[in-house]
Amino acid sequence: MTVAVIRFGGSNCDRDAVRALEHLGIDAEIVWHKDGLPEDPSGIVIPGGFSYGDYLRAGAMAARTPILDEVRDAAADGTPVLGVCNGAQIGSEGGLTPGAFTTNESARFQCEPVHLRIENAETPWTAAFEKGDVIEVPIAHGEGRFEIADGTLAELRADDRILFRYCDAEGNVTEAANPNGSKDNVAGVLSEDDHVAVLMPHPERASLPDIGPTDGQGVLRAFE
Amino acid sequence: MGTHPGDSHDRLITLLRVPLSLTDSRVDIHERVHWGKPTIVFTHEHALIDMTAYTATVTVRLKRGVLDPEAETTQQALERLGFELEDLRSADRFEVDLEADDSEAAESRATEMADRLLANPTIHDYDVEVTEA
């Protein structure tokens, strides 16, 4: 059983994802999107990068490739799917999760460590944490501002589908701790079932002890 | 087959039916190749396709209330240049050339394009205008 890490032209966190998963003892392999999914992957990662050069909108093109139909079917059958950064943009563009990730409030690309508060620990993606835990992971994006209609956001809250919110080191969700102007400081959300999680920050970049903090490991352990 | 440079007659190799709106009548193109020298012959005898050429202009803009940081930055730059302005909004415009039975069919196809790709319904509104090309 192997986690399939989908590579599009312009993906650039695919190898990081494989390395981080293998560090946790989870088999993972890169899959070229045109080759389609392998049979019965144990999980799927849509990695970060700049698929199709972010043409039109970040993730718009990759979200309309045939492999996304396979991802949708696999998720419906219960395969866990994680979208990170560009993968989150692809997931929301492809309708796997609600909302949209669009231009940062700063109108700039931002690459910096952020703090996230775990909003719901009762999901495979956050089972390694307690609700209210604060983790540190990096962001690296120009289009990460979460936008969603107020009504839909209220539904997400009511259904406990907000996974992570930007916060300060003490766990206070404040405007100052919001790096990109995301609505309600939302950094990551869950699909209607709990099979798909997307988030803008990079857990795979905070998973190897040689590099720095390893808080991201808890998210990747959903694939164990 | 059997034709070589210098043969006296042309060889008809392809027939492209490309409706052009040069005149009211439909024009087909017979492409003849005289060994590397294509010439186009217009004939008026075929009217197999009764389609009209349209341009559908799809304008995609952010919904009211959705922050547009690039527009804000652009407005600030205009103000730095000394211009006075109240507000500035940006939009994406797509001009789609297509052929359809009538303008309603053209509009409905362009609308589907906007729904399925050109706009993201979470953040965008769009409108479609169709003109005969």
Side-chain angles (χ1 to χ4, degrees):
Chain A
M1 295 286 273
T2 302
V3 174
V5 178
I6 301 175
R7 170 185 281 170
F8 295 96
S11 297
N12 65 10
C13 299
D14 41 356
R15 286 180 297 172
D16 296 11
V18 169
R19 187 170 295 188
L21 287 166
E22 286 181 342
H23 177 76
L24 300 177
I26 301 165
D27 274 344
E29 64 172 3
I30 291 171
V31 173
W32 176 237
H33 76 98
K34 283 186 181 168
D35 294 338
L37 286 179
E39 209 169 323
D40 290 330
S42 57
I44 298 167
V45 174
I46 313 177
F50 300 86
S51 57
Y52 295 86
D54 283 351
Y55 288 176
L56 191 64
R57 299 177 298 276
M61 300 297 159
R64 281 136 183 113
T65 53
I67 200 170
L68 253 282
D69 292 330
E70 295 181 48
V71 172
R72 227 172 264 120
D73 291 345
D77 289 344
T79 307
V81 179
L82 177 67
V84 172
C85 194
N86 190 224
Q89 296 161 336
I90 293 167
S92 61
E93 276 282 340
L96 289 166
T97 53
F101 294 101
T102 186
T103 315
N104 290 349
E105 189 172 17
S106 65
R108 291 196 173 90
F109 187 89
Q110 288 171 248
C111 189
E112 61 202 51
V114 298
H115 291 98
L116 302 177
R117 193 173 79 183
I118 310 297
E119 297 295 304
N120 174 4
E122 308 291 314
T123 80
W125 310 100
T126 48
F129 310 109
E130 301 288 329
K131 182 174 176 172
D133 276 358
V134 176
I135 62 174
E136 187 186 325
V137 285
I139 57 164
H141 60 244
E143 296 179 46
R145 175 169 56 98
F146 186 67
E147 277 290 345
I148 191 166
D150 291 338
T152 320
L153 179 63
E155 283 171 30
L156 287 189
R157 273 207 218 102
D159 296 343
D160 239 352
R161 287 168 58 191
I162 313 281
L163 284 178
F164 309 101
R165 290 168 80 204
Y166 299 108
C167 64
D168 63 21
E170 281 73 49
N172 303 304
V173 175
T174 62
E175 210 176 304
N178 188 344
N180 53 23
S182 285
K183 194 169 256 189
D184 211 29
N185 285 46
V186 171
V189 294
L190 200 60
S191 60
E192 209 163 338
D193 48 42
D194 58 8
H195 303 159
V196 186
V198 303
L199 73 163
M200 287 310 298
H202 287 269
E204 82 286 3
R205 292 192 192 178
S207 292
L208 301 176
D210 288 346
I211 295 176
T214 56
D215 291 350
Q217 288 183 359
V219 178
L220 302 179
R221 288 195 190 282
F223 292 113
E224 276 181 338
Chain B
M1 297 249 290
T3 40
H4 300 282
D7 270 9
S8 58
H9 47 264
D10 299 345
R11 183 168 59 126
L12 183 67
I13 59 156
T14 51
L15 172 63
L16 305 172
R17 294 211 166 78
V18 183
L20 302 173
S21 296
L22 298 174
T23 66
D24 281 339
S25 61
R26 293 285 160 261
V27 181
D28 287 2
I29 298 172
H30 291 204
E31 188 184 342
R32 285 170 184 274
V33 173
H34 188 190
W35 278 97
K37 282 191 167 183
T39 56
I40 294 175
V41 180
F42 293 98
T43 67
H44 291 257
E45 55 198 282
H46 298 285
L48 299 177
I49 304 169
D50 191 18
M51 304 267 269
T52 312
Y54 295 97
T55 297
T57 303
V58 182
T59 307
V60 177
R61 48 175 70 82
L62 287 169
K63 283 181 173 165
R64 282 272 169 192
V66 175
L67 188 71
D68 187 346
E70 289 183 4
E72 281 182 15
T73 308
T74 307
Q75 176 172 351
Q76 285 161 15
L78 285 171
E79 285 165 348
R80 270 200 303 277
L81 290 172
F83 291 105
E84 287 179 21
L85 66 160
E86 292 303 312
D87 198 10
L88 179 150
R89 290 168 295 281
S90 68
D92 289 329
R93 187 170 89 165
F94 302 88
E95 295 173 1
V96 186
D97 294 337
L98 45 81
E99 294 188 354
D101 289 337
D102 52 40
S103 68
E104 276 139 41
E107 184 177 336
S108 115
R109 204 186 310 161
T111 300
E112 199 184 342
M113 291 178 194
D115 279 338
R116 292 184 56 190
L117 176 63
L118 301 178
N120 179 331
T122 302
I123 52 174
H124 290 139
D125 287 325
Y126 66 85
D127 56 58
V128 177
E129 260 182 71
V130 169
T131 54
E132 238 178 275

